[in-house]
Amino acid sequence: MAGKEDVKDGAGSGLEMLRSEVGDYLGAQAEHLVGKTGEKLTGLTQKLLDTASGDGGGGGGFIQGVGSRILQGESPFKALVAEKAGGVKDKVMDKAKGLFGGKSKGKSGSAKVMNIIEVLDIGLPLRTTYDHWTQYDEFSGFTKGVQSVSQSDEVTSDWKLKVGPSKRSYKATVQEQIPDQRIVWTSEGAKGTTRGCVTFHELAPELTRIVLVVEYSPAGFFEKTGNIWRAQGRRLRLDFKNFQRYVSFADPDEVEGWRGEIRDGEVVRSHEEVVEEEEQEAGEEGEEGDGDEEEYEDEYEDEEEDDEAPDEEGDYEDEEEEEDEEDEEER
């Protein structure tokens, strides 16, 4: 009997020890889990506090802004929506500024230069076509993009233009101008700058080719937006065709262009000087042509005289034959 009781006591004590160990283990694991959970809650709480105070870079004072709106009398829902919309608007504006060259938190964009190249053939003589082009004050009468042009002198002029709803003013300076050949200019304005060159080429006595090359650098939001859609290029192309239509139906005798010459932005030969030189050259060519005609007429007259001149030897022989015949008849 005693042995059985000792076995029971040993078994009981072992079971209790096992229960005690298991309990201690579970208690230690519970404390460990509670500690980890507490650390996570502490970190989350700190992040929320940083966001509410505007620190941490992520929220940007979002909760603080919502709270401020609620204190001003807005409903919680309305305050939340308004603050969120404001954040979205700021992001959109930053991206737009970066696209059009403005300062933003991201990368800053730069506007691209627009290159415009147009070629037209006009059924008029070279000089007539060139003279029409030099009449800048007439451009507002047949184009839609040019509103007015006023010339300060032979080199500079003020242009008021319109492309769609946008209006702009430019001060243009002629850098080089050679009659019947080419005109090179630059222009500056609040909404951009341009560099341009127009050349004139004689394909036939009654056919002239115009080549127009323009480099346009826009400035400002609307100009850069229009540059994306190529509005300036389309406007110039249409007005170039309007010039072709205008000069084709204009009276060539009424046009009087500016024939002066400009080099490096300065007039080197005035209109009167060039016109006088051209008239002298035309007169010299006319005199040479008259001289050639007179020589040809003299040669023609000499040939006629040679044809009409009598052959003295032939006439003398004929007279001798006639005398011989008369003597024979008398005999």
Side-chain angles (χ1 to χ4, degrees), residues 12 31 33 36 48 61 85-86 98 104 111 153 169 173 186 208 237 241 245 249 253 287 310 320 325:
E31 289 178 0
L33 291 174
K36 284 188 175 182
L48 290 174
S104 63
D153 50 39
S169 298
T173 303
T186 58
T208 303
R237 185 180 303 110
K241 292 182 178 179
R245 172 188 55 80
F249 292 104
D253 297 332
E287 291 178 358
E320 288 183 350
E325 290 178 358

PDB file of all heavy atoms in Angstrom, residues 12 31 33 36 48 61 85-86 98 104 111 153 169 173 186 208 237 241 245 249 253 287 310 320 325:
ATOM      1  N   GLY A  12       1.945  13.041  -8.994  1.00  0.00           N
ATOM      2  CA  GLY A  12       1.262  14.317  -8.766  1.00  0.00           C
ATOM      3  C   GLY A  12       2.235  15.463  -8.759  1.00  0.00           C
ATOM      4  O   GLY A  12       1.976  16.525  -9.323  1.00  0.00           O
ATOM      5  N   GLU A  31       3.825  38.318 -22.081  1.00  0.00           N
ATOM      6  CA  GLU A  31       4.523  39.571 -21.803  1.00  0.00           C
ATOM      7  C   GLU A  31       5.285  40.060 -23.044  1.00  0.00           C
ATOM      8  O   GLU A  31       5.347  41.247 -23.349  1.00  0.00           O
ATOM      9  CB  GLU A  31       5.494  39.365 -20.647  1.00  0.00           C
ATOM     10  CG  GLU A  31       4.799  39.180 -19.304  1.00  0.00           C
ATOM     11  CD  GLU A  31       5.791  38.930 -18.189  1.00  0.00           C
ATOM     12  OE1 GLU A  31       7.016  38.920 -18.524  1.00  0.00           O
ATOM     13  OE2 GLU A  31       5.379  38.780 -17.044  1.00  0.00           O
ATOM     14  N   LEU A  33       4.564  39.439 -26.255  1.00  0.00           N
ATOM     15  CA  LEU A  33       3.609  39.962 -27.230  1.00  0.00           C
ATOM     16  C   LEU A  33       3.078  41.328 -26.820  1.00  0.00           C
ATOM     17  O   LEU A  33       2.930  42.230 -27.655  1.00  0.00           O
ATOM     18  CB  LEU A  33       2.452  38.973 -27.409  1.00  0.00           C
ATOM     19  CG  LEU A  33       2.804  37.648 -28.100  1.00  0.00           C
ATOM     20  CD1 LEU A  33       1.597  36.704 -28.068  1.00  0.00           C
ATOM     21  CD2 LEU A  33       3.245  37.889 -29.529  1.00  0.00           C
ATOM     22  N   LYS A  36       5.764  43.945 -27.634  1.00  0.00           N
ATOM     23  CA  LYS A  36       5.833  44.302 -29.055  1.00  0.00           C
ATOM     24  C   LYS A  36       4.647  45.168 -29.477  1.00  0.00           C
ATOM     25  O   LYS A  36       4.777  46.146 -30.209  1.00  0.00           O
ATOM     26  CB  LYS A  36       5.875  43.038 -29.914  1.00  0.00           C
ATOM     27  CG  LYS A  36       7.229  42.342 -29.905  1.00  0.00           C
ATOM     28  CD  LYS A  36       7.242  41.224 -30.922  1.00  0.00           C
ATOM     29  CE  LYS A  36       8.629  40.603 -31.024  1.00  0.00           C
ATOM     30  NZ  LYS A  36       8.665  39.529 -32.047  1.00  0.00           N
ATOM     31  N   LEU A  48       1.293  59.747 -35.847  1.00  0.00           N
ATOM     32  CA  LEU A  48       0.078  60.561 -35.901  1.00  0.00           C
ATOM     33  C   LEU A  48       0.325  61.952 -35.327  1.00  0.00           C
ATOM     34  O   LEU A  48      -0.157  62.956 -35.849  1.00  0.00           O
ATOM     35  CB  LEU A  48      -1.053  59.859 -35.144  1.00  0.00           C
ATOM     36  CG  LEU A  48      -1.607  58.584 -35.802  1.00  0.00           C
ATOM     37  CD1 LEU A  48      -2.619  57.918 -34.870  1.00  0.00           C
ATOM     38  CD2 LEU A  48      -2.246  58.898 -37.136  1.00  0.00           C
ATOM     39  N   GLY A  61       0.786  68.703 -42.550  1.00  0.00           N
ATOM     40  CA  GLY A  61      -0.176  69.447 -41.745  1.00  0.00           C
ATOM     41  C   GLY A  61      -1.610  69.194 -42.131  1.00  0.00           C
ATOM     42  O   GLY A  61      -2.474  70.057 -41.935  1.00  0.00           O
ATOM     43  N   ALA A  85      -8.808  68.422 -51.342  1.00  0.00           N
ATOM     44  CA  ALA A  85      -8.821  69.071 -52.654  1.00  0.00           C
ATOM     45  C   ALA A  85      -7.695  70.084 -52.776  1.00  0.00           C
ATOM     46  O   ALA A  85      -7.063  70.224 -53.828  1.00  0.00           O
ATOM     47  CB  ALA A  85     -10.171  69.746 -52.888  1.00  0.00           C
ATOM     48  N   GLY A  86      -7.404  70.810 -51.699  1.00  0.00           N
ATOM     49  CA  GLY A  86      -6.309  71.763 -51.726  1.00  0.00           C
ATOM     50  C   GLY A  86      -4.972  71.090 -51.958  1.00  0.00           C
ATOM     51  O   GLY A  86      -4.120  71.587 -52.696  1.00  0.00           O
ATOM     52  N   GLY A  98       6.331  72.732 -63.601  1.00  0.00           N
ATOM     53  CA  GLY A  98       7.477  71.989 -64.111  1.00  0.00           C
ATOM     54  C   GLY A  98       7.392  71.773 -65.610  1.00  0.00           C
ATOM     55  O   GLY A  98       8.396  71.788 -66.309  1.00  0.00           O
ATOM     56  N   SER A 104       9.250  74.442 -59.424  1.00  0.00           N
ATOM     57  CA  SER A 104       8.428  73.457 -58.733  1.00  0.00           C
ATOM     58  C   SER A 104       9.329  72.618 -57.868  1.00  0.00           C
ATOM     59  O   SER A 104      10.561  72.708 -57.913  1.00  0.00           O
ATOM     60  CB  SER A 104       7.688  72.575 -59.742  1.00  0.00           C
ATOM     61  OG  SER A 104       8.603  71.839 -60.520  1.00  0.00           O
ATOM     62  N   ALA A 111      10.985  75.321 -72.218  1.00  0.00           N
ATOM     63  CA  ALA A 111      10.212  75.375 -73.457  1.00  0.00           C
ATOM     64  C   ALA A 111      11.108  75.096 -74.649  1.00  0.00           C
ATOM     65  O   ALA A 111      12.243  75.545 -74.713  1.00  0.00           O
ATOM     66  CB  ALA A 111       9.563  76.748 -73.601  1.00  0.00           C
ATOM     67  N   ASP A 153      12.165 103.599 -88.327  1.00  0.00           N
ATOM     68  CA  ASP A 153      13.129 103.998 -89.349  1.00  0.00           C
ATOM     69  C   ASP A 153      13.278 102.841 -90.320  1.00  0.00           C
ATOM     70  O   ASP A 153      12.463 101.916 -90.331  1.00  0.00           O
ATOM     71  CB  ASP A 153      14.464 104.402 -88.721  1.00  0.00           C
ATOM     72  CG  ASP A 153      14.969 103.350 -87.739  1.00  0.00           C
ATOM     73  OD1 ASP A 153      14.817 102.145 -88.019  1.00  0.00           O
ATOM     74  OD2 ASP A 153      15.499 103.729 -86.680  1.00  0.00           O
ATOM     75  N   SER A 169       3.053  92.061 -78.697  1.00  0.00           N
ATOM     76  CA  SER A 169       3.749  93.132 -79.406  1.00  0.00           C
ATOM     77  C   SER A 169       5.227  92.777 -79.499  1.00  0.00           C
ATOM     78  O   SER A 169       5.802  92.238 -78.547  1.00  0.00           O
ATOM     79  CB  SER A 169       3.575  94.471 -78.679  1.00  0.00           C
ATOM     80  OG  SER A 169       2.202  94.840 -78.627  1.00  0.00           O
ATOM     81  N   THR A 173      13.975  94.183 -85.656  1.00  0.00           N
ATOM     82  CA  THR A 173      15.172  94.858 -86.155  1.00  0.00           C
ATOM     83  C   THR A 173      15.711  94.090 -87.348  1.00  0.00           C
ATOM     84  O   THR A 173      15.969  92.882 -87.246  1.00  0.00           O
ATOM     85  CB  THR A 173      16.257  94.944 -85.070  1.00  0.00           C
ATOM     86  OG1 THR A 173      15.725  95.625 -83.921  1.00  0.00           O
ATOM     87  CG2 THR A 173      17.464  95.698 -85.587  1.00  0.00           C
ATOM     88  N   THR A 186      15.477  90.073 -86.453  1.00  0.00           N
ATOM     89  CA  THR A 186      15.242  89.555 -85.110  1.00  0.00           C
ATOM     90  C   THR A 186      14.154  90.404 -84.465  1.00  0.00           C
ATOM     91  O   THR A 186      13.960  91.566 -84.842  1.00  0.00           O
ATOM     92  CB  THR A 186      16.514  89.622 -84.249  1.00  0.00           C
ATOM     93  OG1 THR A 186      16.963  90.983 -84.173  1.00  0.00           O
ATOM     94  CG2 THR A 186      17.614  88.753 -84.831  1.00  0.00           C
ATOM     95  N   THR A 208       8.623  83.429-109.151  1.00  0.00           N
ATOM     96  CA  THR A 208       9.543  83.678-108.038  1.00  0.00           C
ATOM     97  C   THR A 208       9.231  82.722-106.893  1.00  0.00           C
ATOM     98  O   THR A 208       8.062  82.518-106.552  1.00  0.00           O
ATOM     99  CB  THR A 208       9.433  85.123-107.530  1.00  0.00           C
ATOM    100  OG1 THR A 208       9.682  86.016-108.618  1.00  0.00           O
ATOM    101  CG2 THR A 208      10.416  85.389-106.412  1.00  0.00           C
ATOM    102  N   ARG A 237       1.688  80.176 -91.376  1.00  0.00           N
ATOM    103  CA  ARG A 237       1.495  79.486 -92.655  1.00  0.00           C
ATOM    104  C   ARG A 237       0.290  80.055 -93.404  1.00  0.00           C
ATOM    105  O   ARG A 237       0.346  80.288 -94.618  1.00  0.00           O
ATOM    106  CB  ARG A 237       1.306  77.993 -92.403  1.00  0.00           C
ATOM    107  CG  ARG A 237       1.219  77.158 -93.675  1.00  0.00           C
ATOM    108  CD  ARG A 237       1.029  75.693 -93.361  1.00  0.00           C
ATOM    109  NE  ARG A 237       2.091  75.192 -92.504  1.00  0.00           N
ATOM    110  CZ  ARG A 237       1.925  74.843 -91.227  1.00  0.00           C
ATOM    111  NH1 ARG A 237       0.740  74.945 -90.654  1.00  0.00           N
ATOM    112  NH2 ARG A 237       2.936  74.388 -90.522  1.00  0.00           N
ATOM    113  N   LYS A 241       0.230  82.319 -97.065  1.00  0.00           N
ATOM    114  CA  LYS A 241      -0.624  82.071 -98.230  1.00  0.00           C
ATOM    115  C   LYS A 241      -1.485  83.296 -98.544  1.00  0.00           C
ATOM    116  O   LYS A 241      -1.784  83.560 -99.720  1.00  0.00           O
ATOM    117  CB  LYS A 241      -1.500  80.852 -97.978  1.00  0.00           C
ATOM    118  CG  LYS A 241      -0.712  79.546 -97.920  1.00  0.00           C
ATOM    119  CD  LYS A 241      -1.619  78.360 -97.721  1.00  0.00           C
ATOM    120  CE  LYS A 241      -0.821  77.057 -97.712  1.00  0.00           C
ATOM    121  NZ  LYS A 241      -1.684  75.872 -97.505  1.00  0.00           N
ATOM    122  N   ARG A 245      -1.828  85.253-102.154  1.00  0.00           N
ATOM    123  CA  ARG A 245      -3.086  85.655-102.792  1.00  0.00           C
ATOM    124  C   ARG A 245      -3.105  87.154-103.064  1.00  0.00           C
ATOM    125  O   ARG A 245      -3.505  87.601-104.149  1.00  0.00           O
ATOM    126  CB  ARG A 245      -4.251  85.263-101.883  1.00  0.00           C
ATOM    127  CG  ARG A 245      -5.601  85.803-102.329  1.00  0.00           C
ATOM    128  CD  ARG A 245      -6.675  85.532-101.284  1.00  0.00           C
ATOM    129  NE  ARG A 245      -6.316  86.038 -99.979  1.00  0.00           N
ATOM    130  CZ  ARG A 245      -6.449  87.310 -99.621  1.00  0.00           C
ATOM    131  NH1 ARG A 245      -6.907  88.208-100.479  1.00  0.00           N
ATOM    132  NH2 ARG A 245      -6.117  87.698 -98.403  1.00  0.00           N
ATOM    133  N   PHE A 249      -3.047  89.218-107.116  1.00  0.00           N
ATOM    134  CA  PHE A 249      -4.135  90.020-107.680  1.00  0.00           C
ATOM    135  C   PHE A 249      -3.861  91.525-107.614  1.00  0.00           C
ATOM    136  O   PHE A 249      -4.668  92.317-108.100  1.00  0.00           O
ATOM    137  CB  PHE A 249      -5.450  89.721-106.953  1.00  0.00           C
ATOM    138  CG  PHE A 249      -5.962  88.330-107.198  1.00  0.00           C
ATOM    139  CD1 PHE A 249      -5.831  87.348-106.233  1.00  0.00           C
ATOM    140  CD2 PHE A 249      -6.564  87.988-108.397  1.00  0.00           C
ATOM    141  CE1 PHE A 249      -6.293  86.059-106.455  1.00  0.00           C
ATOM    142  CE2 PHE A 249      -7.020  86.704-108.626  1.00  0.00           C
ATOM    143  CZ  PHE A 249      -6.886  85.738-107.655  1.00  0.00           C
ATOM    144  N   ASP A 253       2.001  97.810-111.121  1.00  0.00           N
ATOM    145  CA  ASP A 253       2.494  99.160-111.376  1.00  0.00           C
ATOM    146  C   ASP A 253       2.368 100.065-110.156  1.00  0.00           C
ATOM    147  O   ASP A 253       3.021 101.112-110.097  1.00  0.00           O
ATOM    148  CB  ASP A 253       1.733  99.782-112.550  1.00  0.00           C
ATOM    149  CG  ASP A 253       1.973  99.012-113.852  1.00  0.00           C
ATOM    150  OD1 ASP A 253       3.058  98.410-113.975  1.00  0.00           O
ATOM    151  OD2 ASP A 253       1.064  99.002-114.707  1.00  0.00           O
ATOM    152  N   GLU A 287      21.769 101.429-123.986  1.00  0.00           N
ATOM    153  CA  GLU A 287      22.687 101.994-124.976  1.00  0.00           C
ATOM    154  C   GLU A 287      23.459 100.898-125.694  1.00  0.00           C
ATOM    155  O   GLU A 287      23.671 100.965-126.907  1.00  0.00           O
ATOM    156  CB  GLU A 287      23.656 102.945-124.278  1.00  0.00           C
ATOM    157  CG  GLU A 287      22.987 104.220-123.776  1.00  0.00           C
ATOM    158  CD  GLU A 287      23.967 105.108-123.043  1.00  0.00           C
ATOM    159  OE1 GLU A 287      25.148 104.686-122.918  1.00  0.00           O
ATOM    160  OE2 GLU A 287      23.560 106.194-122.603  1.00  0.00           O
ATOM    161  N   PRO A 310      26.852  97.541-159.920  1.00  0.00           N
ATOM    162  CA  PRO A 310      27.015  96.876-161.232  1.00  0.00           C
ATOM    163  C   PRO A 310      28.386  96.255-161.371  1.00  0.00           C
ATOM    164  O   PRO A 310      29.361  96.742-160.808  1.00  0.00           O
ATOM    165  CB  PRO A 310      26.818  98.013-162.229  1.00  0.00           C
ATOM    166  CG  PRO A 310      27.245  99.238-161.476  1.00  0.00           C
ATOM    167  CD  PRO A 310      26.847  99.013-160.048  1.00  0.00           C
ATOM    168  N   GLU A 320      30.922  95.638-175.742  1.00  0.00           N
ATOM    169  CA  GLU A 320      31.755  95.227-176.873  1.00  0.00           C
ATOM    170  C   GLU A 320      31.002  94.261-177.783  1.00  0.00           C
ATOM    171  O   GLU A 320      31.084  94.340-179.017  1.00  0.00           O
ATOM    172  CB  GLU A 320      33.030  94.564-176.361  1.00  0.00           C
ATOM    173  CG  GLU A 320      34.010  95.560-175.739  1.00  0.00           C
ATOM    174  CD  GLU A 320      35.283  94.877-175.300  1.00  0.00           C
ATOM    175  OE1 GLU A 320      35.301  93.618-175.313  1.00  0.00           O
ATOM    176  OE2 GLU A 320      36.236  95.578-174.926  1.00  0.00           O
ATOM    177  N   GLU A 325      28.177  93.141-182.992  1.00  0.00           N
ATOM    178  CA  GLU A 325      26.968  92.755-183.691  1.00  0.00           C
ATOM    179  C   GLU A 325      26.504  93.871-184.639  1.00  0.00           C
ATOM    180  O   GLU A 325      26.068  93.604-185.774  1.00  0.00           O
ATOM    181  CB  GLU A 325      25.864  92.447-182.685  1.00  0.00           C
ATOM    182  CG  GLU A 325      26.133  91.146-181.895  1.00  0.00           C
ATOM    183  CD  GLU A 325      25.052  90.886-180.860  1.00  0.00           C
ATOM    184  OE1 GLU A 325      24.136  91.738-180.741  1.00  0.00           O
ATOM    185  OE2 GLU A 325      25.126  89.851-180.171  1.00  0.00           O
TER     186      GLU A 325
END
